[in-house]
Amino acid sequence: MTPDKIAIVIGGIVVIGAVYKFFLGKKNEQAVSATSGAIEIKVDGGYTPEVVKIPLDKTTTLDFTRTDPTSCLEEVVLGDFNVRKTLPLNQKVSIEITPKKKGTFVYSCGMNMYKGKIIVE
């Protein structure tokens, strides 16, 4: 094998690794805790923060503010808490939940394309 072919093979392996890491690698999820009983969640191309931690058996308010006009993000669904709310553009929508069991619960947009997590501790 010639040196140029070896360089092409090594370059191909590096590109494949970068593509794999970008699309399938573990995302850096930093959870935000509800220390004051409320968490602000910005809805713009997804949810920020994407992961929130809330305490067990305490009412926590999730304040969603949608600034993204995408129709997919017009609704938020917290299926495990039987909540489905419309998120008007540039208006805060507060959702109170009181989790009765520990675990990780997923919330999503109405089309289930954008997702976030609620960790109950």
PDB file of all heavy atoms in Angstrom, residues 38-62:
ATOM      1  N   ALA A  38     -39.565  26.592  40.993  1.00  0.00           N
ATOM      2  CA  ALA A  38     -39.932  26.919  39.618  1.00  0.00           C
ATOM      3  C   ALA A  38     -38.702  26.853  38.721  1.00  0.00           C
ATOM      4  O   ALA A  38     -37.579  27.075  39.177  1.00  0.00           O
ATOM      5  CB  ALA A  38     -40.554  28.299  39.533  1.00  0.00           C
ATOM      6  N   ILE A  39     -38.941  26.525  37.470  1.00  0.00           N
ATOM      7  CA  ILE A  39     -37.862  26.474  36.485  1.00  0.00           C
ATOM      8  C   ILE A  39     -38.357  27.143  35.209  1.00  0.00           C
ATOM      9  O   ILE A  39     -39.457  26.857  34.734  1.00  0.00           O
ATOM     10  CB  ILE A  39     -37.442  25.023  36.180  1.00  0.00           C
ATOM     11  CG1 ILE A  39     -36.856  24.356  37.414  1.00  0.00           C
ATOM     12  CG2 ILE A  39     -36.447  24.967  35.022  1.00  0.00           C
ATOM     13  CD1 ILE A  39     -36.432  22.921  37.203  1.00  0.00           C
ATOM     14  N   GLU A  40     -37.533  28.041  34.686  1.00  0.00           N
ATOM     15  CA  GLU A  40     -37.825  28.686  33.402  1.00  0.00           C
ATOM     16  C   GLU A  40     -37.282  27.786  32.293  1.00  0.00           C
ATOM     17  O   GLU A  40     -36.106  27.396  32.338  1.00  0.00           O
ATOM     18  CB  GLU A  40     -37.141  30.046  33.321  1.00  0.00           C
ATOM     19  CG  GLU A  40     -37.584  31.044  34.359  1.00  0.00           C
ATOM     20  CD  GLU A  40     -38.882  31.733  33.978  1.00  0.00           C
ATOM     21  OE1 GLU A  40     -39.205  31.800  32.770  1.00  0.00           O
ATOM     22  OE2 GLU A  40     -39.569  32.198  34.897  1.00  0.00           O
ATOM     23  N   ILE A  41     -38.112  27.466  31.316  1.00  0.00           N
ATOM     24  CA  ILE A  41     -37.684  26.655  30.179  1.00  0.00           C
ATOM     25  C   ILE A  41     -37.948  27.448  28.909  1.00  0.00           C
ATOM     26  O   ILE A  41     -39.088  27.800  28.609  1.00  0.00           O
ATOM     27  CB  ILE A  41     -38.421  25.308  30.142  1.00  0.00           C
ATOM     28  CG1 ILE A  41     -38.123  24.513  31.409  1.00  0.00           C
ATOM     29  CG2 ILE A  41     -38.014  24.516  28.892  1.00  0.00           C
ATOM     30  CD1 ILE A  41     -38.892  23.217  31.544  1.00  0.00           C
ATOM     31  N   LYS A  42     -36.875  27.732  28.193  1.00  0.00           N
ATOM     32  CA  LYS A  42     -36.982  28.468  26.938  1.00  0.00           C
ATOM     33  C   LYS A  42     -37.244  27.477  25.801  1.00  0.00           C
ATOM     34  O   LYS A  42     -36.575  26.436  25.707  1.00  0.00           O
ATOM     35  CB  LYS A  42     -35.686  29.239  26.675  1.00  0.00           C
ATOM     36  CG  LYS A  42     -35.715  30.075  25.438  1.00  0.00           C
ATOM     37  CD  LYS A  42     -34.410  30.835  25.285  1.00  0.00           C
ATOM     38  CE  LYS A  42     -34.433  31.632  23.995  1.00  0.00           C
ATOM     39  NZ  LYS A  42     -33.149  32.280  23.755  1.00  0.00           N
ATOM     40  N   VAL A  43     -38.208  27.793  24.966  1.00  0.00           N
ATOM     41  CA  VAL A  43     -38.566  26.920  23.841  1.00  0.00           C
ATOM     42  C   VAL A  43     -38.146  27.627  22.562  1.00  0.00           C
ATOM     43  O   VAL A  43     -38.802  28.553  22.099  1.00  0.00           O
ATOM     44  CB  VAL A  43     -40.082  26.624  23.838  1.00  0.00           C
ATOM     45  CG1 VAL A  43     -40.434  25.665  22.705  1.00  0.00           C
ATOM     46  CG2 VAL A  43     -40.527  26.068  25.181  1.00  0.00           C
ATOM     47  N   ASP A  44     -37.000  27.215  22.058  1.00  0.00           N
ATOM     48  CA  ASP A  44     -36.449  27.819  20.848  1.00  0.00           C
ATOM     49  C   ASP A  44     -35.552  26.788  20.167  1.00  0.00           C
ATOM     50  O   ASP A  44     -34.421  26.600  20.581  1.00  0.00           O
ATOM     51  CB  ASP A  44     -35.665  29.091  21.196  1.00  0.00           C
ATOM     52  CG  ASP A  44     -35.198  29.825  19.957  1.00  0.00           C
ATOM     53  OD1 ASP A  44     -35.639  29.490  18.839  1.00  0.00           O
ATOM     54  OD2 ASP A  44     -34.386  30.752  20.102  1.00  0.00           O
ATOM     55  N   GLY A  45     -36.083  26.097  19.196  1.00  0.00           N
ATOM     56  CA  GLY A  45     -35.319  25.037  18.539  1.00  0.00           C
ATOM     57  C   GLY A  45     -35.119  23.837  19.449  1.00  0.00           C
ATOM     58  O   GLY A  45     -34.199  23.050  19.257  1.00  0.00           O
ATOM     59  N   GLY A  46     -35.933  23.697  20.441  1.00  0.00           N
ATOM     60  CA  GLY A  46     -35.840  22.649  21.455  1.00  0.00           C
ATOM     61  C   GLY A  46     -36.130  23.266  22.807  1.00  0.00           C
ATOM     62  O   GLY A  46     -36.740  24.340  22.884  1.00  0.00           O
ATOM     63  N   TYR A  47     -35.703  22.610  23.853  1.00  0.00           N
ATOM     64  CA  TYR A  47     -35.963  23.090  25.206  1.00  0.00           C
ATOM     65  C   TYR A  47     -34.654  23.385  25.924  1.00  0.00           C
ATOM     66  O   TYR A  47     -33.734  22.582  25.898  1.00  0.00           O
ATOM     67  CB  TYR A  47     -36.753  22.038  25.994  1.00  0.00           C
ATOM     68  CG  TYR A  47     -38.068  21.687  25.354  1.00  0.00           C
ATOM     69  CD1 TYR A  47     -38.210  20.511  24.634  1.00  0.00           C
ATOM     70  CD2 TYR A  47     -39.147  22.538  25.447  1.00  0.00           C
ATOM     71  CE1 TYR A  47     -39.413  20.187  24.025  1.00  0.00           C
ATOM     72  CE2 TYR A  47     -40.356  22.237  24.844  1.00  0.00           C
ATOM     73  CZ  TYR A  47     -40.477  21.055  24.140  1.00  0.00           C
ATOM     74  OH  TYR A  47     -41.672  20.754  23.534  1.00  0.00           O
ATOM     75  N   THR A  48     -34.572  24.534  26.546  1.00  0.00           N
ATOM     76  CA  THR A  48     -33.380  24.919  27.303  1.00  0.00           C
ATOM     77  C   THR A  48     -33.807  25.387  28.687  1.00  0.00           C
ATOM     78  O   THR A  48     -34.543  26.373  28.779  1.00  0.00           O
ATOM     79  CB  THR A  48     -32.617  26.047  26.593  1.00  0.00           C
ATOM     80  OG1 THR A  48     -32.335  25.633  25.253  1.00  0.00           O
ATOM     81  CG2 THR A  48     -31.332  26.361  27.324  1.00  0.00           C
ATOM     82  N   PRO A  49     -33.422  24.715  29.736  1.00  0.00           N
ATOM     83  CA  PRO A  49     -32.607  23.512  29.767  1.00  0.00           C
ATOM     84  C   PRO A  49     -33.415  22.314  29.295  1.00  0.00           C
ATOM     85  O   PRO A  49     -34.624  22.255  29.449  1.00  0.00           O
ATOM     86  CB  PRO A  49     -32.226  23.375  31.240  1.00  0.00           C
ATOM     87  CG  PRO A  49     -33.352  24.018  31.979  1.00  0.00           C
ATOM     88  CD  PRO A  49     -33.815  25.142  31.094  1.00  0.00           C
ATOM     89  N   GLU A  50     -32.690  21.355  28.765  1.00  0.00           N
ATOM     90  CA  GLU A  50     -33.332  20.148  28.246  1.00  0.00           C
ATOM     91  C   GLU A  50     -33.649  19.166  29.372  1.00  0.00           C
ATOM     92  O   GLU A  50     -34.601  18.399  29.272  1.00  0.00           O
ATOM     93  CB  GLU A  50     -32.395  19.507  27.222  1.00  0.00           C
ATOM     94  CG  GLU A  50     -32.987  18.351  26.461  1.00  0.00           C
ATOM     95  CD  GLU A  50     -32.020  17.845  25.395  1.00  0.00           C
ATOM     96  OE1 GLU A  50     -31.388  18.660  24.711  1.00  0.00           O
ATOM     97  OE2 GLU A  50     -31.907  16.620  25.263  1.00  0.00           O
ATOM     98  N   VAL A  51     -32.849  19.194  30.426  1.00  0.00           N
ATOM     99  CA  VAL A  51     -33.038  18.269  31.551  1.00  0.00           C
ATOM    100  C   VAL A  51     -33.228  19.089  32.820  1.00  0.00           C
ATOM    101  O   VAL A  51     -32.424  19.973  33.117  1.00  0.00           O
ATOM    102  CB  VAL A  51     -31.819  17.327  31.712  1.00  0.00           C
ATOM    103  CG1 VAL A  51     -32.031  16.371  32.865  1.00  0.00           C
ATOM    104  CG2 VAL A  51     -31.554  16.571  30.425  1.00  0.00           C
ATOM    105  N   VAL A  52     -34.313  18.797  33.545  1.00  0.00           N
ATOM    106  CA  VAL A  52     -34.567  19.487  34.804  1.00  0.00           C
ATOM    107  C   VAL A  52     -34.732  18.457  35.915  1.00  0.00           C
ATOM    108  O   VAL A  52     -35.221  17.353  35.688  1.00  0.00           O
ATOM    109  CB  VAL A  52     -35.826  20.392  34.725  1.00  0.00           C
ATOM    110  CG1 VAL A  52     -35.619  21.493  33.711  1.00  0.00           C
ATOM    111  CG2 VAL A  52     -37.062  19.598  34.385  1.00  0.00           C
ATOM    112  N   LYS A  53     -34.277  18.838  37.105  1.00  0.00           N
ATOM    113  CA  LYS A  53     -34.431  17.984  38.284  1.00  0.00           C
ATOM    114  C   LYS A  53     -35.414  18.644  39.226  1.00  0.00           C
ATOM    115  O   LYS A  53     -35.274  19.847  39.530  1.00  0.00           O
ATOM    116  CB  LYS A  53     -33.099  17.793  39.008  1.00  0.00           C
ATOM    117  CG  LYS A  53     -32.133  16.920  38.284  1.00  0.00           C
ATOM    118  CD  LYS A  53     -30.871  16.729  39.112  1.00  0.00           C
ATOM    119  CE  LYS A  53     -29.875  15.870  38.361  1.00  0.00           C
ATOM    120  NZ  LYS A  53     -28.631  15.709  39.128  1.00  0.00           N
ATOM    121  N   ILE A  54     -36.387  17.858  39.679  1.00  0.00           N
ATOM    122  CA  ILE A  54     -37.379  18.391  40.603  1.00  0.00           C
ATOM    123  C   ILE A  54     -37.530  17.417  41.769  1.00  0.00           C
ATOM    124  O   ILE A  54     -37.270  16.225  41.630  1.00  0.00           O
ATOM    125  CB  ILE A  54     -38.728  18.663  39.912  1.00  0.00           C
ATOM    126  CG1 ILE A  54     -39.333  17.377  39.356  1.00  0.00           C
ATOM    127  CG2 ILE A  54     -38.553  19.674  38.789  1.00  0.00           C
ATOM    128  CD1 ILE A  54     -40.720  17.571  38.771  1.00  0.00           C
ATOM    129  N   PRO A  55     -37.971  17.931  42.905  1.00  0.00           N
ATOM    130  CA  PRO A  55     -38.088  17.064  44.077  1.00  0.00           C
ATOM    131  C   PRO A  55     -39.392  16.247  44.070  1.00  0.00           C
ATOM    132  O   PRO A  55     -40.406  16.671  43.517  1.00  0.00           O
ATOM    133  CB  PRO A  55     -38.072  18.051  45.248  1.00  0.00           C
ATOM    134  CG  PRO A  55     -38.567  19.321  44.674  1.00  0.00           C
ATOM    135  CD  PRO A  55     -38.159  19.340  43.234  1.00  0.00           C
ATOM    136  N   LEU A  56     -39.314  15.115  44.718  1.00  0.00           N
ATOM    137  CA  LEU A  56     -40.470  14.226  44.871  1.00  0.00           C
ATOM    138  C   LEU A  56     -41.482  14.846  45.828  1.00  0.00           C
ATOM    139  O   LEU A  56     -41.112  15.463  46.834  1.00  0.00           O
ATOM    140  CB  LEU A  56     -39.979  12.881  45.426  1.00  0.00           C
ATOM    141  CG  LEU A  56     -41.018  11.799  45.677  1.00  0.00           C
ATOM    142  CD1 LEU A  56     -41.567  11.293  44.347  1.00  0.00           C
ATOM    143  CD2 LEU A  56     -40.385  10.641  46.446  1.00  0.00           C
ATOM    144  N   ASP A  57     -42.753  14.720  45.506  1.00  0.00           N
ATOM    145  CA  ASP A  57     -43.879  15.154  46.364  1.00  0.00           C
ATOM    146  C   ASP A  57     -43.918  16.654  46.642  1.00  0.00           C
ATOM    147  O   ASP A  57     -44.529  17.078  47.618  1.00  0.00           O
ATOM    148  CB  ASP A  57     -43.875  14.397  47.701  1.00  0.00           C
ATOM    149  CG  ASP A  57     -44.441  13.004  47.549  1.00  0.00           C
ATOM    150  OD1 ASP A  57     -45.288  12.787  46.656  1.00  0.00           O
ATOM    151  OD2 ASP A  57     -44.021  12.130  48.319  1.00  0.00           O
ATOM    152  N   LYS A  58     -43.260  17.459  45.857  1.00  0.00           N
ATOM    153  CA  LYS A  58     -43.335  18.917  46.007  1.00  0.00           C
ATOM    154  C   LYS A  58     -43.802  19.515  44.686  1.00  0.00           C
ATOM    155  O   LYS A  58     -43.331  19.129  43.625  1.00  0.00           O
ATOM    156  CB  LYS A  58     -41.980  19.510  46.387  1.00  0.00           C
ATOM    157  CG  LYS A  58     -41.549  19.166  47.788  1.00  0.00           C
ATOM    158  CD  LYS A  58     -40.350  19.962  48.194  1.00  0.00           C
ATOM    159  CE  LYS A  58     -40.009  19.641  49.643  1.00  0.00           C
ATOM    160  NZ  LYS A  58     -38.839  20.356  50.097  1.00  0.00           N
ATOM    161  N   THR A  59     -44.715  20.458  44.792  1.00  0.00           N
ATOM    162  CA  THR A  59     -45.225  21.100  43.583  1.00  0.00           C
ATOM    163  C   THR A  59     -44.145  21.987  42.973  1.00  0.00           C
ATOM    164  O   THR A  59     -43.545  22.810  43.650  1.00  0.00           O
ATOM    165  CB  THR A  59     -46.471  21.933  43.911  1.00  0.00           C
ATOM    166  OG1 THR A  59     -47.470  21.051  44.441  1.00  0.00           O
ATOM    167  CG2 THR A  59     -47.016  22.620  42.666  1.00  0.00           C
ATOM    168  N   THR A  60     -43.902  21.764  41.706  1.00  0.00           N
ATOM    169  CA  THR A  60     -42.900  22.532  40.961  1.00  0.00           C
ATOM    170  C   THR A  60     -43.587  23.144  39.749  1.00  0.00           C
ATOM    171  O   THR A  60     -44.393  22.503  39.091  1.00  0.00           O
ATOM    172  CB  THR A  60     -41.743  21.625  40.501  1.00  0.00           C
ATOM    173  OG1 THR A  60     -41.163  21.005  41.648  1.00  0.00           O
ATOM    174  CG2 THR A  60     -40.681  22.418  39.754  1.00  0.00           C
ATOM    175  N   THR A  61     -43.249  24.380  39.476  1.00  0.00           N
ATOM    176  CA  THR A  61     -43.811  25.076  38.320  1.00  0.00           C
ATOM    177  C   THR A  61     -42.780  25.101  37.206  1.00  0.00           C
ATOM    178  O   THR A  61     -41.648  25.542  37.403  1.00  0.00           O
ATOM    179  CB  THR A  61     -44.204  26.516  38.694  1.00  0.00           C
ATOM    180  OG1 THR A  61     -45.112  26.464  39.795  1.00  0.00           O
ATOM    181  CG2 THR A  61     -44.861  27.212  37.515  1.00  0.00           C
ATOM    182  N   LEU A  62     -43.189  24.614  36.057  1.00  0.00           N
ATOM    183  CA  LEU A  62     -42.360  24.691  34.856  1.00  0.00           C
ATOM    184  C   LEU A  62     -42.905  25.835  34.017  1.00  0.00           C
ATOM    185  O   LEU A  62     -44.048  25.790  33.565  1.00  0.00           O
ATOM    186  CB  LEU A  62     -42.419  23.372  34.076  1.00  0.00           C
ATOM    187  CG  LEU A  62     -42.061  22.098  34.852  1.00  0.00           C
ATOM    188  CD1 LEU A  62     -42.278  20.870  33.979  1.00  0.00           C
ATOM    189  CD2 LEU A  62     -40.626  22.148  35.343  1.00  0.00           C
TER     190      LEU A  62
END
